[in-house]
Amino acid sequence: MASDSFYINRRNFLKSSTAVLALSTFGAYGLDLVYSQKKWRVGLIGCGWYGTSDLFKLIQVANVEVVSLCDVDRNHLETAANLVAQRQQSGKKPRLYHDYRKMLSEKDLDIVLIGSPDHWHALQAIEAMESGAHLYLQKPISLDVLEGESILATARKLGKKVQIGTQRRSTPHLIEGKKNIIDAGLLGKISHVEMCCYYHMRWNANPPVQEIPDHLDYDFWSGPAPLLPYVGEPHRRWRAFMEYGNGIVGDMCVHMLDAVRWMLDLGWPKKISSTGGIYVQKDSIANISDTQNAVFEFEELNCIWQHRSWGTPPDPEYPWAFFIYGEKGTFKGSVHQYEFIPVGDGETIKKEVVYEREKYPEDLKEKDIELHTAPATRGHMLDLIASIEQDTLPVADVEQGHISTASCIMANLAMDLKRPLVYNPQQRIIVDDVEATSLLKRNYRGPWKHPSDIYL
């Protein structure tokens, strides 16, 4: 049996920000939720860094048995299996699968976590729901807009709960800021938002084509996406390629746009425009933009995004952040802190991120963990389970994840087409733009079939 230090106990839990979140969100039910005797049967598709990190957070806050793991990289799979056996209460090693379809065909999972690259999300999410499971699906939920529509349609048809990994909605200090600053009206009328990412996160390399290692099924890894030449562990650098992901906008803007939409109760943008390209880092094999602006237009409110994977941020304390401007002040928000700066002589209010190192010491042993996001992910997992038990929508429901994801995808399309786009979600078209509408659905590599051909 795994050591007690690797799963939650009452004393530590009651001291944690996750407990505060559970109690404030669910009341007395929050403790019932954590100490429920129901054991959830769980599977994970995509056993790399973030997939396993998400799984570990679920193990910490819920009574789960990790039954199945799936990955096309044998090294990832075996490493994750050994770690799960150490961490879960039963001490058992999960069943291991190379093909997610085989794992799902067992139809014995209550919850499936999907941590695979973006180009796999739609097919795996839909088949997981059809197998009977609820989902924790990493963002962005899809690689094209109609994939997202297909996931949403399937979730609603089957009545499945889908929590998207836009965990700013479960970030303790941002929940507090939304309640005490935004909802309390301290900003007054809000008419402008800026969002940004200035991390040097774009892969800047131009390696030669290499031999595919024996531990990786590269053809299956590529799946419905184009089979690009193997240049050495692209499954670790996949965000550098638009064939597999949605660039920095899809990776980083989706978080900040979703946070702003949540804080301000915004739906679909009325219009989306974007400019940018590869302006500086021209020697890399990466084909995502290194510089990009996007404007998401709402009623009397523009949300403006900017990223640069070079240079320095204008505000070093907020290199990846959002800035909400009201007539009475400014609200700065990031994964590390928030700050309210009132107009005039009022006092600035600042709150820092919550860490839980002492409450969850196993976090410190987790390779490459983002300690500042761990409490948010734990809260996100609890919220998913509560939504299943109470038959409510999770805080980052699939529809909200779809709106944020599709908006970012359309920003990339607007940049490529060099014109603004207006999306009609009822008709699933770009208004008065046949060419742009055709790009809402990407071509799949055979024998894989696009889900919109079946589910829309």
Side-chain angles (χ1 to χ4, degrees), residues 29-104:
Y29 168 69
L31 291 182
D32 293 337
L33 175 65
V34 173
Y35 298 113
S36 171
Q37 294 303 304
K38 176 177 173 55
K39 187 176 287 290
W40 301 91
R41 294 174 62 84
V42 174
L44 168 65
I45 302 173
C47 297
W49 164 47
Y50 226 92
T52 53
S53 185
D54 283 339
L55 182 61
F56 295 157
K57 306 306 170 292
L58 178 60
I59 291 172
Q60 288 173 322
V61 298
N63 186 14
V64 303
E65 180 70 23
V66 181
V67 176
S68 305
L69 299 175
C70 180
D71 203 292
V72 296
D73 184 319
R74 189 169 62 250
N75 290 351
H76 284 177
L77 191 60
E78 292 174 355
T79 298
N82 291 330
L83 289 172
V84 168
Q86 294 171 23
R87 284 177 176 257
Q88 70 175 342
Q89 187 173 356
S90 71
K92 293 180 180 179
K93 191 172 182 178
R95 299 189 306 242
L96 306 183
Y97 295 87
H98 170 268
D99 189 330
Y100 74 93
R101 295 168 297 184
K102 173 62 176 173
M103 183 183 100
L104 297 175

Side-chain angles (χ1 to χ4, degrees), residues 202-203 239-242 246-248 277-278 286-290:
R202 186 175 180 270
W203 191 35
R239 291 193 186 279
F241 302 99
M242 294 300 292
N246 291 308
I248 295 174
I278 303 173
N287 58 20
I288 64 172
S289 67
D290 66 7

Side-chain angles (χ1 to χ4, degrees), residues 2-284:
S3 167
D4 285 350
S5 65
F6 288 129
Y7 61 91
I8 201 163
N9 63 70
R10 181 176 295 269
R11 178 177 298 175
N12 277 351
F13 177 75
L14 289 174
K15 296 178 182 177
S16 70
S17 64
T18 311
V20 174
L21 179 62
L23 290 169
S24 62
T25 303
F26 308 114
Y29 168 69
L31 291 182
D32 293 337
L33 175 65
V34 173
Y35 298 113
S36 171
Q37 294 303 304
K38 176 177 173 55
K39 187 176 287 290
W40 301 91
R41 294 174 62 84
V42 174
L44 168 65
I45 302 173
C47 297
W49 164 47
Y50 226 92
T52 53
S53 185
D54 283 339
L55 182 61
F56 295 157
K57 306 306 170 292
L58 178 60
I59 291 172
Q60 288 173 322
V61 298
N63 186 14
V64 303
E65 180 70 23
V66 181
V67 176
S68 305
L69 299 175
C70 180
D71 203 292
V72 296
D73 184 319
R74 189 169 62 250
N75 290 351
H76 284 177
L77 191 60
E78 292 174 355
T79 298
N82 291 330
L83 289 172
V84 168
Q86 294 171 23
R87 284 177 176 257
Q88 70 175 342
Q89 187 173 356
S90 71
K92 293 180 180 179
K93 191 172 182 178
R95 299 189 306 242
L96 306 183
Y97 295 87
H98 170 268
D99 189 330
Y100 74 93
R101 295 168 297 184
K102 173 62 176 173
M103 183 183 100
L104 297 175
S105 70
E106 307 284 359
K107 296 187 177 181
D108 61 352
L109 300 173
D110 300 310
I111 299 172
V112 170
L113 281 65
I114 297 178
S116 53
D118 300 353
H119 68 281
W120 268 117
H121 285 182
L123 293 179
Q124 293 171 348
I126 289 170
E127 193 154 348
M129 287 187 282
E130 289 182 328
S131 77
H134 302 280
L135 295 183
Y136 187 92
L137 175 61
Q138 261 304 338
K139 58 80 211 169
I141 77 166
S142 61
L143 194 56
D144 69 44
V145 174
L146 293 191
E147 284 181 337
E149 294 282 9
S150 301
I151 297 170
L152 173 59
T154 302
R156 295 297 187 252
K157 177 183 177 181
L158 299 179
K160 295 303 177 184
K161 309 306 178 187
V162 183
Q163 182 84 294
I164 306 304
T166 45
Q167 69 269 43
R168 303 290 77 76
R169 293 173 182 248
S170 293
T171 300
H173 69 276
L174 293 181
I175 292 173
E176 179 187 305
K178 173 176 165 44
K179 177 182 177 181
N180 294 339
I181 306 298
I182 304 295
D183 296 347
L186 270 61
L187 288 175
K189 180 176 173 54
I190 297 167
S191 294
H192 186 71
V193 173
E194 295 173 2
M195 308 169 291
C196 66
C197 181
Y198 300 112
Y199 291 155
H200 292 188
M201 58 187 299
R202 186 175 180 270
W203 191 35
N204 294 309
N206 194 3
V209 175
Q210 300 178 27
E211 184 176 349
I212 300 170
D214 292 339
H215 62 82
L216 173 67
D217 185 341
Y218 182 56
D219 183 84
F220 202 170
W221 181 89
S222 297
L227 188 66
L228 298 183
Y230 183 80
V231 292
E233 303 290 354
H235 58 308
R236 299 180 188 274
R237 300 284 189 174
W238 58 268
R239 291 193 186 279
F241 302 99
M242 294 300 292
E243 289 82 358
Y244 305 135
N246 291 308
I248 295 174
V249 169
D251 185 20
M252 306 301 275
C253 177
V254 67
H255 272 298
M256 294 303 153
L257 177 62
D258 190 77
V260 169
R261 290 185 49 253
W262 161 62
M263 285 202 157
L264 303 183
D265 193 23
L266 302 174
W268 284 96
K270 295 168 54 181
K271 183 187 293 184
I272 300 170
S273 56
S274 182
T275 60
I278 303 173
Y279 292 168
V280 176
Q281 298 166 332
K282 297 179 180 292
D283 295 331
S284 172

Side-chain angles (χ1 to χ4, degrees), residues 380-392:
H380 231 36
M381 294 298 180
L382 280 175
D383 183 80
L384 171 60
I385 292 175
S387 74
I388 298 169
E389 291 192 344
Q390 298 185 320
D391 192 24
T392 57

